[in-house]
Amino acid sequence: MPKPTRSPRSPRSLAGKIPRQQALSQQLPLLILCFGLGCFLTLTLPNLAQAQGDPPTLPKDDRALSHLLPPPQAHPLPPSLGASHPLPLGVGGLGAKAAGTMTLADQGGDDQGGNYQDGNYQGDYFDQIQPSPLGYLVWSQFPIRVYGEAPSLEDGSAEAQRQQAWGATLDRGLAAWQPYLPLVRTTDPTEADITVLRSRPPLQRRGDGGLDRARAAETRYRFRLVPQAEGPPQIQPQFTLYLPLGQPPAQLATTVRHELGHALGLWGHSPQPQDVMYAQQTPSPAAISRRDIQTLHRVYQQPTQVGWAMVDGD
């Protein structure tokens, strides 16, 4: 199965070019909120609001559009996650071992980069990962383009230094995930797949009308239709990360790695504190673990509608 390639066309050119898909493009966007180290989801589709852990579904009105959605399929495994012996889909549980499975070879350093090598399986938390209504959140076009908010001050002030330190921490977080999925910085926010902002997460209203508590960080996503050079548009996610200033450097570094993990496909939390996707802050900064990568490896082997082209309505 050919691997989808990065389209040179911007999703901004969608309007007016695929009228058959306009009705779906208005219904398709789904807003998923991940607040700091505690997640729940809210969908903008009519009459649908669910907490994380509930099985997501599309409302009846939107099921009429299902004939335009692609069938769930697994994408070719990204080479940076691949190996000669793929991780079996049926393997799970802490401490499980299986012949021909993969483990992560640490390269050392604070961010602990590395790739899969043959070895004993170290366990994962795949059962904690929630698929979206369109399936697991995976990327199918590489490199993944990341925009980080540029410093607004360059006057040598304390605030300017904090902004520069924030940008450096973001770069280190990207470098930590780079061995596993190709990432590239972009200076154009309109072409970004992942946008990272220094602003605080917007306050959300609860079902009773009151404001929810403030969050230290937040990750959101929505779906978009991305026109291709040929054929129908593809369904691709687009993420926004809110990572405000103010956290201690070590805590911010862990938060950056954690929120980027959500944006790369780990839409859930690990129950183990040694993993970067653990749901709570820990006394020691958490690096990307073997279990984090082995979970990501399994996510990218799952059938999904995300990353595939819409069905031509003709």
Side-chain angles (χ1 to χ4, degrees), residues 194-255:
I194 301 173
T195 297
V196 188
L197 303 175
R198 288 192 306 272
S199 54
R200 290 195 171 277
L203 291 176
Q204 303 295 319
R205 290 197 177 274
R206 301 188 303 269
D208 61 6
L211 290 176
D212 200 359
R213 65 182 178 86
R215 310 282 176 162
E218 175 182 300
T219 295
R220 301 182 179 192
Y221 78 74
R222 67 183 183 91
F223 290 116
R224 55 185 175 162
L225 294 176
V226 180
Q228 305 299 296
E230 296 181 1
Q234 285 183 359
I235 303 171
Q236 293 288 349
Q238 190 173 44
F239 286 82
T240 301
L241 279 59
Y242 294 88
L243 298 170
L245 299 171
Q247 297 185 56
Q251 180 178 335
L252 178 61
T254 297
T255 302

CSV table of all heavy atoms in Angstrom, one decimal, residues 194-255:
chain,number,residue,atom,x,y,z
A,194,ILE,N,1.3,21.3,14.0
A,194,ILE,CA,1.2,21.4,15.4
A,194,ILE,C,1.6,22.9,15.7
A,194,ILE,O,2.7,23.3,15.3
A,194,ILE,CB,2.2,20.5,16.2
A,194,ILE,CG1,1.8,19.0,15.8
A,194,ILE,CG2,2.1,20.7,17.7
A,194,ILE,CD1,2.8,18.0,16.4
A,195,THR,N,0.8,23.6,16.4
A,195,THR,CA,1.1,25.0,16.8
A,195,THR,C,1.3,25.0,18.3
A,195,THR,O,0.4,24.5,19.1
A,195,THR,CB,0.0,26.0,16.4
A,195,THR,OG1,-0.1,26.0,14.9
A,195,THR,CG2,0.2,27.4,16.9
A,196,VAL,N,2.4,25.6,18.8
A,196,VAL,CA,2.7,25.7,20.2
A,196,VAL,C,2.7,27.1,20.6
A,196,VAL,O,3.5,27.9,20.1
A,196,VAL,CB,4.0,25.0,20.6
A,196,VAL,CG1,4.2,24.9,22.1
A,196,VAL,CG2,4.1,23.6,19.9
A,197,LEU,N,1.8,27.5,21.6
A,197,LEU,CA,1.7,28.9,22.0
A,197,LEU,C,2.1,29.0,23.5
A,197,LEU,O,2.0,28.1,24.3
A,197,LEU,CB,0.2,29.3,21.9
A,197,LEU,CG,-0.4,29.2,20.5
A,197,LEU,CD1,-1.9,29.5,20.5
A,197,LEU,CD2,0.4,30.0,19.5
A,198,ARG,N,2.6,30.3,23.8
A,198,ARG,CA,3.0,30.6,25.2
A,198,ARG,C,1.8,31.0,26.0
A,198,ARG,O,1.9,31.2,27.2
A,198,ARG,CB,4.0,31.7,25.2
A,198,ARG,CG,5.4,31.3,24.7
A,198,ARG,CD,6.4,32.4,25.1
A,198,ARG,NE,6.0,33.7,24.6
A,198,ARG,CZ,6.2,34.2,23.4
A,198,ARG,NH1,6.9,33.4,22.5
A,198,ARG,NH2,5.8,35.4,23.0
A,199,SER,N,0.6,31.1,25.4
A,199,SER,CA,-0.5,31.7,26.2
A,199,SER,C,-1.1,30.6,27.1
A,199,SER,O,-0.9,29.4,26.9
A,199,SER,CB,-1.6,32.2,25.2
A,199,SER,OG,-1.9,31.2,24.3
A,200,ARG,N,-1.9,31.0,28.1
A,200,ARG,CA,-2.6,30.1,29.0
A,200,ARG,C,-3.7,29.5,28.3
A,200,ARG,O,-4.4,30.1,27.4
A,200,ARG,CB,-3.0,30.9,30.2
A,200,ARG,CG,-1.9,31.3,31.1
A,200,ARG,CD,-2.4,31.7,32.5
A,200,ARG,NE,-1.3,31.9,33.4
A,200,ARG,CZ,-0.7,30.9,34.1
A,200,ARG,NH1,-1.1,29.7,33.9
A,200,ARG,NH2,0.4,31.2,34.9
A,201,PRO,N,-4.1,28.2,28.7
A,201,PRO,CA,-5.2,27.6,28.1
A,201,PRO,C,-6.5,28.4,28.3
A,201,PRO,O,-6.7,28.9,29.5
A,201,PRO,CB,-5.3,26.2,28.8
A,201,PRO,CG,-3.9,26.0,29.3
A,201,PRO,CD,-3.4,27.4,29.6
A,202,PRO,N,-7.4,28.6,27.3
A,202,PRO,CA,-8.6,29.3,27.6
A,202,PRO,C,-9.5,28.5,28.6
A,202,PRO,O,-9.5,27.3,28.6
A,202,PRO,CB,-9.3,29.2,26.2
A,202,PRO,CG,-8.2,29.0,25.2
A,202,PRO,CD,-7.2,28.1,25.9
A,203,LEU,N,-10.1,29.3,29.4
A,203,LEU,CA,-11.0,28.6,30.4
A,203,LEU,C,-12.2,28.0,29.7
A,203,LEU,O,-12.7,28.6,28.7
A,203,LEU,CB,-11.5,29.7,31.4
A,203,LEU,CG,-10.4,30.2,32.4
A,203,LEU,CD1,-11.0,31.3,33.3
A,203,LEU,CD2,-9.8,29.0,33.2
A,204,GLN,N,-12.7,26.9,30.2
A,204,GLN,CA,-13.8,26.2,29.6
A,204,GLN,C,-15.0,26.2,30.6
A,204,GLN,O,-14.8,26.2,31.8
A,204,GLN,CB,-13.4,24.8,29.2
A,204,GLN,CG,-12.2,24.7,28.3
A,204,GLN,CD,-12.5,25.2,27.0
A,204,GLN,OE1,-13.6,25.1,26.4
A,204,GLN,NE2,-11.5,26.0,26.4
A,205,ARG,N,-16.2,26.2,30.0
A,205,ARG,CA,-17.4,26.2,30.8
A,205,ARG,C,-17.8,24.7,31.0
A,205,ARG,O,-17.8,23.9,30.1
A,205,ARG,CB,-18.5,27.0,30.2
A,205,ARG,CG,-18.2,28.5,30.2
A,205,ARG,CD,-19.5,29.3,30.0
A,205,ARG,NE,-19.2,30.7,30.1
A,205,ARG,CZ,-19.2,31.4,31.3
A,205,ARG,NH1,-19.5,30.7,32.4
A,205,ARG,NH2,-19.0,32.7,31.3
A,206,ARG,N,-18.2,24.5,32.3
A,206,ARG,CA,-18.7,23.1,32.6
A,206,ARG,C,-20.2,23.0,32.1
A,206,ARG,O,-20.8,24.0,31.6
A,206,ARG,CB,-18.7,22.9,34.1
A,206,ARG,CG,-17.3,23.0,34.7
A,206,ARG,CD,-17.3,22.5,36.2
A,206,ARG,NE,-18.3,23.3,36.9
A,206,ARG,CZ,-17.9,24.4,37.6
A,206,ARG,NH1,-16.7,24.9,37.6
A,206,ARG,NH2,-18.8,25.1,38.3
A,207,GLY,N,-20.7,21.8,32.2
A,207,GLY,CA,-22.1,21.6,31.8
A,207,GLY,C,-23.1,22.5,32.6
A,207,GLY,O,-24.2,22.8,32.1
A,208,ASP,N,-22.7,22.9,33.9
A,208,ASP,CA,-23.6,23.7,34.7
A,208,ASP,C,-23.5,25.2,34.4
A,208,ASP,O,-24.1,26.0,35.1
A,208,ASP,CB,-23.4,23.4,36.2
A,208,ASP,CG,-22.0,23.7,36.6
A,208,ASP,OD1,-21.2,24.2,35.8
A,208,ASP,OD2,-21.7,23.4,37.8
A,209,GLY,N,-22.6,25.5,33.4
A,209,GLY,CA,-22.4,26.9,33.1
A,209,GLY,C,-21.3,27.6,33.8
A,209,GLY,O,-20.9,28.7,33.4
A,210,GLY,N,-20.7,27.0,34.8
A,210,GLY,CA,-19.6,27.6,35.5
A,210,GLY,C,-18.3,27.3,34.8
A,210,GLY,O,-18.2,26.5,33.9
A,211,LEU,N,-17.3,28.1,35.2
A,211,LEU,CA,-16.0,27.9,34.6
A,211,LEU,C,-15.2,26.8,35.2
A,211,LEU,O,-15.2,26.7,36.5
A,211,LEU,CB,-15.2,29.2,34.7
A,211,LEU,CG,-15.7,30.4,33.9
A,211,LEU,CD1,-14.9,31.7,34.2
A,211,LEU,CD2,-15.6,30.1,32.4
A,212,ASP,N,-14.6,26.0,34.4
A,212,ASP,CA,-13.7,25.0,34.9
A,212,ASP,C,-12.5,25.6,35.5
A,212,ASP,O,-12.1,26.7,35.3
A,212,ASP,CB,-13.4,24.0,33.8
A,212,ASP,CG,-12.9,22.6,34.3
A,212,ASP,OD1,-12.9,22.4,35.5
A,212,ASP,OD2,-12.6,21.8,33.4
A,213,ARG,N,-11.7,24.8,36.2
A,213,ARG,CA,-10.5,25.3,36.9
A,213,ARG,C,-9.4,25.5,35.8
A,213,ARG,O,-9.4,24.9,34.7
A,213,ARG,CB,-10.0,24.2,37.9
A,213,ARG,CG,-9.5,22.9,37.3
A,213,ARG,CD,-9.1,22.0,38.4
A,213,ARG,NE,-8.6,20.7,37.8
A,213,ARG,CZ,-7.4,20.4,37.4
A,213,ARG,NH1,-6.5,21.3,37.4
A,213,ARG,NH2,-7.1,19.2,36.9
A,214,ALA,N,-8.5,26.5,36.1
A,214,ALA,CA,-7.4,26.8,35.2
A,214,ALA,C,-6.5,25.6,35.1
A,214,ALA,O,-6.3,24.9,36.1
A,214,ALA,CB,-6.7,28.0,35.8
A,215,ARG,N,-5.9,25.5,34.0
A,215,ARG,CA,-5.0,24.4,33.7
A,215,ARG,C,-3.5,24.9,33.4
A,215,ARG,O,-3.4,26.0,32.9
A,215,ARG,CB,-5.4,23.6,32.4
A,215,ARG,CG,-6.9,23.2,32.5
A,215,ARG,CD,-7.1,22.0,33.3
A,215,ARG,NE,-8.5,21.7,33.5
A,215,ARG,CZ,-9.0,20.5,33.9
A,215,ARG,NH1,-8.2,19.6,34.2
A,215,ARG,NH2,-10.3,20.3,34.0
A,216,ALA,N,-2.6,24.1,33.8
A,216,ALA,CA,-1.2,24.5,33.6
A,216,ALA,C,-0.8,24.4,32.1
A,216,ALA,O,0.1,25.1,31.6
A,216,ALA,CB,-0.2,23.6,34.4
A,217,ALA,N,-1.4,23.5,31.4
A,217,ALA,CA,-1.1,23.3,29.9
A,217,ALA,C,-2.3,22.6,29.3
A,217,ALA,O,-3.1,22.0,30.0
A,217,ALA,CB,0.2,22.5,29.7
A,218,GLU,N,-2.3,22.6,28.0
A,218,GLU,CA,-3.5,22.1,27.3
A,218,GLU,C,-3.1,21.7,25.9
A,218,GLU,O,-2.3,22.4,25.2
A,218,GLU,CB,-4.6,23.1,27.3
A,218,GLU,CG,-5.9,22.6,26.6
A,218,GLU,CD,-6.9,23.7,26.6
A,218,GLU,OE1,-7.4,24.1,27.7
A,218,GLU,OE2,-7.3,24.2,25.5
A,219,THR,N,-3.6,20.6,25.4
A,219,THR,CA,-3.5,20.2,24.0
A,219,THR,C,-4.9,20.0,23.4
A,219,THR,O,-5.7,19.4,24.0
A,219,THR,CB,-2.7,18.9,23.8
A,219,THR,OG1,-1.4,19.2,24.3
A,219,THR,CG2,-2.6,18.5,22.4
A,220,ARG,N,-5.1,20.6,22.2
A,220,ARG,CA,-6.4,20.5,21.5
A,220,ARG,C,-6.1,20.0,20.1
A,220,ARG,O,-5.0,20.2,19.6
A,220,ARG,CB,-7.1,21.8,21.4
A,220,ARG,CG,-7.5,22.5,22.7
A,220,ARG,CD,-8.2,23.8,22.4
A,220,ARG,NE,-8.6,24.5,23.6
A,220,ARG,CZ,-9.4,25.5,23.7
A,220,ARG,NH1,-10.0,25.9,22.5
A,220,ARG,NH2,-9.7,26.1,24.8
A,221,TYR,N,-7.1,19.3,19.5
A,221,TYR,CA,-7.0,19.0,18.1
A,221,TYR,C,-8.3,19.2,17.4
A,221,TYR,O,-9.4,19.2,18.0
A,221,TYR,CB,-6.4,17.7,17.8
A,221,TYR,CG,-7.3,16.5,18.0
A,221,TYR,CD1,-8.3,16.2,17.0
A,221,TYR,CD2,-7.1,15.6,19.1
A,221,TYR,CE1,-9.1,15.1,17.2
A,221,TYR,CE2,-8.0,14.5,19.2
A,221,TYR,CZ,-8.9,14.2,18.3
A,221,TYR,OH,-9.7,13.1,18.4
A,222,ARG,N,-8.3,19.3,16.1
A,222,ARG,CA,-9.4,19.3,15.3
A,222,ARG,C,-9.0,18.6,14.0
A,222,ARG,O,-7.8,18.4,13.7
A,222,ARG,CB,-9.9,20.7,14.9
A,222,ARG,CG,-8.9,21.5,14.0
A,222,ARG,CD,-9.5,22.9,13.8
A,222,ARG,NE,-8.6,23.7,12.9
A,222,ARG,CZ,-8.7,23.7,11.6
A,222,ARG,NH1,-9.7,23.1,11.0
A,222,ARG,NH2,-7.8,24.4,10.9
A,223,PHE,N,-10.0,18.1,13.2
A,223,PHE,CA,-9.7,17.5,11.9
A,223,PHE,C,-9.8,18.6,10.8
A,223,PHE,O,-10.7,19.5,10.9
A,223,PHE,CB,-10.6,16.3,11.6
A,223,PHE,CG,-10.3,15.2,12.5
A,223,PHE,CD1,-11.2,14.7,13.4
A,223,PHE,CD2,-9.1,14.5,12.4
A,223,PHE,CE1,-11.0,13.6,14.2
A,223,PHE,CE2,-8.8,13.4,13.2
A,223,PHE,CZ,-9.8,13.0,14.1
A,224,ARG,N,-9.1,18.4,9.8
A,224,ARG,CA,-9.2,19.3,8.6
A,224,ARG,C,-9.1,18.4,7.3
A,224,ARG,O,-8.6,17.3,7.4
A,224,ARG,CB,-8.1,20.3,8.6
A,224,ARG,CG,-6.7,19.7,8.7
A,224,ARG,CD,-5.6,20.6,8.8
A,224,ARG,NE,-4.3,19.9,9.0
A,224,ARG,CZ,-3.1,20.5,8.8
A,224,ARG,NH1,-3.0,21.7,8.4
A,224,ARG,NH2,-2.0,19.8,9.0
A,225,LEU,N,-9.6,18.9,6.2
A,225,LEU,CA,-9.5,18.3,4.9
A,225,LEU,C,-8.4,19.0,4.2
A,225,LEU,O,-8.5,20.2,3.9
A,225,LEU,CB,-10.8,18.4,4.2
A,225,LEU,CG,-12.0,17.6,4.8
A,225,LEU,CD1,-13.3,17.8,4.0
A,225,LEU,CD2,-11.7,16.1,4.9
A,226,VAL,N,-7.4,18.2,3.8
A,226,VAL,CA,-6.2,18.7,3.1
A,226,VAL,C,-6.2,18.3,1.7
A,226,VAL,O,-6.2,17.1,1.3
A,226,VAL,CB,-4.9,18.2,3.8
A,226,VAL,CG1,-3.7,18.8,3.1
A,226,VAL,CG2,-4.9,18.6,5.3
A,227,PRO,N,-6.4,19.3,0.7
A,227,PRO,CA,-6.4,19.0,-0.7
A,227,PRO,C,-5.1,18.3,-1.1
A,227,PRO,O,-4.0,18.6,-0.6
A,227,PRO,CB,-6.6,20.3,-1.4
A,227,PRO,CG,-7.2,21.2,-0.3
A,227,PRO,CD,-6.6,20.8,1.0
A,228,GLN,N,-5.2,17.4,-2.1
A,228,GLN,CA,-4.1,16.7,-2.6
A,228,GLN,C,-3.9,17.1,-4.1
A,228,GLN,O,-4.8,17.6,-4.7
A,228,GLN,CB,-4.3,15.2,-2.5
A,228,GLN,CG,-4.6,14.7,-1.1
A,228,GLN,CD,-3.4,15.0,-0.2
A,228,GLN,OE1,-2.3,14.5,-0.3
A,228,GLN,NE2,-3.7,15.8,0.8
A,229,ALA,N,-2.7,16.9,-4.6
A,229,ALA,CA,-2.5,17.2,-6.0
A,229,ALA,C,-3.4,16.5,-6.9
A,229,ALA,O,-3.8,17.0,-8.0
A,229,ALA,CB,-1.0,16.9,-6.4
A,230,GLU,N,-3.8,15.2,-6.5
A,230,GLU,CA,-4.7,14.4,-7.3
A,230,GLU,C,-5.7,13.7,-6.3
A,230,GLU,O,-5.3,13.3,-5.3
A,230,GLU,CB,-4.0,13.4,-8.2
A,230,GLU,CG,-3.1,14.0,-9.2
A,230,GLU,CD,-2.4,12.9,-10.1
A,230,GLU,OE1,-2.7,11.7,-9.8
A,230,GLU,OE2,-1.6,13.3,-11.0
A,231,GLY,N,-6.9,13.6,-6.7
A,231,GLY,CA,-7.9,12.9,-5.9
A,231,GLY,C,-8.5,13.7,-4.8
A,231,GLY,O,-8.2,14.9,-4.6
A,232,PRO,N,-9.3,13.0,-4.0
A,232,PRO,CA,-10.0,13.7,-2.9
A,232,PRO,C,-9.1,14.1,-1.8
A,232,PRO,O,-7.9,13.7,-1.8
A,232,PRO,CB,-11.0,12.6,-2.4
A,232,PRO,CG,-11.1,11.6,-3.5
A,232,PRO,CD,-9.8,11.6,-4.2
A,233,PRO,N,-9.5,15.0,-1.0
A,233,PRO,CA,-8.7,15.5,0.1
A,233,PRO,C,-8.5,14.4,1.2
A,233,PRO,O,-9.3,13.5,1.3
A,233,PRO,CB,-9.4,16.7,0.7
A,233,PRO,CG,-10.9,16.4,0.4
A,233,PRO,CD,-10.9,15.7,-1.0
A,234,GLN,N,-7.5,14.6,2.0
A,234,GLN,CA,-7.2,13.7,3.1
A,234,GLN,C,-7.6,14.3,4.4
A,234,GLN,O,-7.7,15.5,4.6
A,234,GLN,CB,-5.7,13.5,3.2
A,234,GLN,CG,-5.1,12.5,2.1
A,234,GLN,CD,-3.6,12.3,2.4
A,234,GLN,OE1,-3.0,12.8,3.3
A,234,GLN,NE2,-3.0,11.5,1.5
A,235,ILE,N,-8.0,13.4,5.3
A,235,ILE,CA,-8.4,13.8,6.7
A,235,ILE,C,-7.1,13.9,7.5
A,235,ILE,O,-6.4,12.8,7.6
A,235,ILE,CB,-9.4,12.8,7.3
A,235,ILE,CG1,-10.6,12.7,6.5
A,235,ILE,CG2,-9.7,13.2,8.7
A,235,ILE,CD1,-11.5,11.5,6.9
A,236,GLN,N,-6.7,15.0,8.0
A,236,GLN,CA,-5.5,15.2,8.8
A,236,GLN,C,-5.9,15.9,10.1
A,236,GLN,O,-6.7,16.8,10.1
A,236,GLN,CB,-4.5,16.0,8.0
A,236,GLN,CG,-3.9,15.2,6.8
A,236,GLN,CD,-3.0,14.1,7.2
A,236,GLN,OE1,-2.6,13.9,8.4
A,236,GLN,NE2,-2.7,13.2,6.2
A,237,PRO,N,-5.2,15.6,11.2
A,237,PRO,CA,-5.4,16.3,12.4
A,237,PRO,C,-4.6,17.6,12.4
A,237,PRO,O,-3.6,17.7,11.7
A,237,PRO,CB,-4.9,15.4,13.5
A,237,PRO,CG,-3.9,14.6,12.8
A,237,PRO,CD,-4.3,14.5,11.4
A,238,GLN,N,-5.0,18.5,13.3
A,238,GLN,CA,-4.2,19.8,13.5
A,238,GLN,C,-4.3,20.1,15.0
A,238,GLN,O,-5.4,20.2,15.5
A,238,GLN,CB,-4.8,20.9,12.6
A,238,GLN,CG,-3.9,22.2,12.6
A,238,GLN,CD,-4.4,23.2,11.7
A,238,GLN,OE1,-5.6,23.4,11.6
A,238,GLN,NE2,-3.5,23.8,10.9
A,239,PHE,N,-3.1,20.2,15.6
A,239,PHE,CA,-3.1,20.3,17.0
A,239,PHE,C,-2.6,21.7,17.4
A,239,PHE,O,-1.9,22.4,16.7
A,239,PHE,CB,-2.0,19.4,17.6
A,239,PHE,CG,-2.5,17.9,17.7
A,239,PHE,CD1,-2.4,17.1,16.5
A,239,PHE,CD2,-3.0,17.4,18.8
A,239,PHE,CE1,-2.9,15.8,16.5
A,239,PHE,CE2,-3.4,16.1,18.9
A,239,PHE,CZ,-3.4,15.3,17.7
A,240,THR,N,-3.1,22.2,18.6
A,240,THR,CA,-2.7,23.4,19.2
A,240,THR,C,-2.3,23.1,20.7
A,240,THR,O,-3.1,22.5,21.4
A,240,THR,CB,-3.8,24.5,19.2
A,240,THR,OG1,-4.1,24.8,17.9
A,240,THR,CG2,-3.3,25.8,19.9
A,241,LEU,N,-1.1,23.5,21.1
A,241,LEU,CA,-0.6,23.2,22.4
A,241,LEU,C,-0.5,24.6,23.1
A,241,LEU,O,0.1,25.5,22.5
A,241,LEU,CB,0.8,22.6,22.4
A,241,LEU,CG,0.8,21.0,22.2
A,241,LEU,CD1,0.2,20.6,20.9
A,241,LEU,CD2,2.2,20.5,22.3
A,242,TYR,N,-1.0,24.7,24.3
A,242,TYR,CA,-0.9,25.9,25.1
A,242,TYR,C,0.1,25.5,26.3
A,242,TYR,O,-0.2,24.7,27.2
A,242,TYR,CB,-2.2,26.3,25.7
A,242,TYR,CG,-3.2,26.7,24.7
A,242,TYR,CD1,-4.1,25.8,24.1
A,242,TYR,CD2,-3.4,28.0,24.3
A,242,TYR,CE1,-5.0,26.1,23.1
A,242,TYR,CE2,-4.3,28.4,23.4
A,242,TYR,CZ,-5.1,27.5,22.8
A,242,TYR,OH,-6.0,27.9,21.8
A,243,LEU,N,1.3,26.2,26.2
A,243,LEU,CA,2.3,26.0,27.2
A,243,LEU,C,2.8,27.3,27.7
A,243,LEU,O,3.8,27.9,27.3
A,243,LEU,CB,3.5,25.2,26.6
A,243,LEU,CG,3.2,23.8,26.0
A,243,LEU,CD1,4.4,23.3,25.2
A,243,LEU,CD2,2.9,22.9,27.2
A,244,PRO,N,2.1,27.9,28.7
A,244,PRO,CA,2.4,29.2,29.2
A,244,PRO,C,3.8,29.3,30.0
A,244,PRO,O,4.3,28.2,30.4
A,244,PRO,CB,1.3,29.5,30.1
A,244,PRO,CG,0.8,28.2,30.6
A,244,PRO,CD,1.0,27.3,29.5
A,245,LEU,N,4.3,30.5,30.0
A,245,LEU,CA,5.5,30.7,30.9
A,245,LEU,C,5.1,30.5,32.3
A,245,LEU,O,3.9,30.6,32.7
A,245,LEU,CB,6.0,32.1,30.6
A,245,LEU,CG,6.4,32.5,29.2
A,245,LEU,CD1,6.7,34.0,29.1
A,245,LEU,CD2,7.7,31.7,28.8
A,246,GLY,N,6.1,30.4,33.2
A,246,GLY,CA,5.9,30.4,34.6
A,246,GLY,C,6.2,29.1,35.3
A,246,GLY,O,6.4,29.1,36.5
A,247,GLN,N,6.3,28.0,34.6
A,247,GLN,CA,6.7,26.7,35.2
A,247,GLN,C,8.2,26.7,35.4
A,247,GLN,O,9.0,27.2,34.6
A,247,GLN,CB,6.3,25.5,34.3
A,247,GLN,CG,4.8,25.4,34.1
A,247,GLN,CD,4.5,24.1,33.4
A,247,GLN,OE1,4.8,23.0,33.8
A,247,GLN,NE2,3.8,24.2,32.2
A,248,PRO,N,8.7,26.0,36.5
A,248,PRO,CA,10.1,25.9,36.6
A,248,PRO,C,10.7,25.1,35.4
A,248,PRO,O,10.0,24.3,34.8
A,248,PRO,CB,10.2,25.0,37.9
A,248,PRO,CG,8.9,25.3,38.6
A,248,PRO,CD,7.9,25.5,37.6
A,249,PRO,N,11.9,25.4,35.1
A,249,PRO,CA,12.5,24.8,33.9
A,249,PRO,C,12.4,23.3,33.8
A,249,PRO,O,12.0,22.8,32.7
A,249,PRO,CB,14.0,25.2,34.0
A,249,PRO,CG,14.0,26.5,34.8
A,249,PRO,CD,12.9,26.3,35.8
A,250,ALA,N,12.7,22.5,34.8
A,250,ALA,CA,12.6,21.1,34.7
A,250,ALA,C,11.1,20.6,34.5
A,250,ALA,O,10.8,19.7,33.8
A,250,ALA,CB,13.1,20.4,36.0
A,251,GLN,N,10.2,21.3,35.2
A,251,GLN,CA,8.8,20.9,35.1
A,251,GLN,C,8.3,21.3,33.7
A,251,GLN,O,7.5,20.5,33.0
A,251,GLN,CB,7.9,21.7,36.1
A,251,GLN,CG,6.4,21.4,36.0
A,251,GLN,CD,5.7,22.1,37.1
A,251,GLN,OE1,6.2,22.4,38.2
A,251,GLN,NE2,4.4,22.3,36.8
A,252,LEU,N,8.7,22.5,33.1
A,252,LEU,CA,8.3,22.8,31.8
A,252,LEU,C,8.8,21.8,30.8
A,252,LEU,O,8.1,21.5,29.8
A,252,LEU,CB,8.8,24.2,31.5
A,252,LEU,CG,8.5,24.7,30.0
A,252,LEU,CD1,7.0,24.8,29.8
A,252,LEU,CD2,9.2,26.1,29.8
A,253,ALA,N,10.1,21.3,30.9
A,253,ALA,CA,10.6,20.4,30.0
A,253,ALA,C,9.8,19.1,30.0
A,253,ALA,O,9.5,18.5,28.9
A,253,ALA,CB,12.1,20.1,30.4
A,254,THR,N,9.4,18.6,31.1
A,254,THR,CA,8.5,17.4,31.2
A,254,THR,C,7.2,17.7,30.5
A,254,THR,O,6.7,16.9,29.8
A,254,THR,CB,8.4,17.0,32.6
A,254,THR,OG1,9.6,16.6,33.2
A,254,THR,CG2,7.4,15.8,32.7
A,255,THR,N,6.6,18.9,30.8
A,255,THR,CA,5.3,19.2,30.3
A,255,THR,C,5.4,19.3,28.7
A,255,THR,O,4.5,18.8,28.0
A,255,THR,CB,4.8,20.5,30.8
A,255,THR,OG1,4.7,20.4,32.3
A,255,THR,CG2,3.4,20.9,30.3
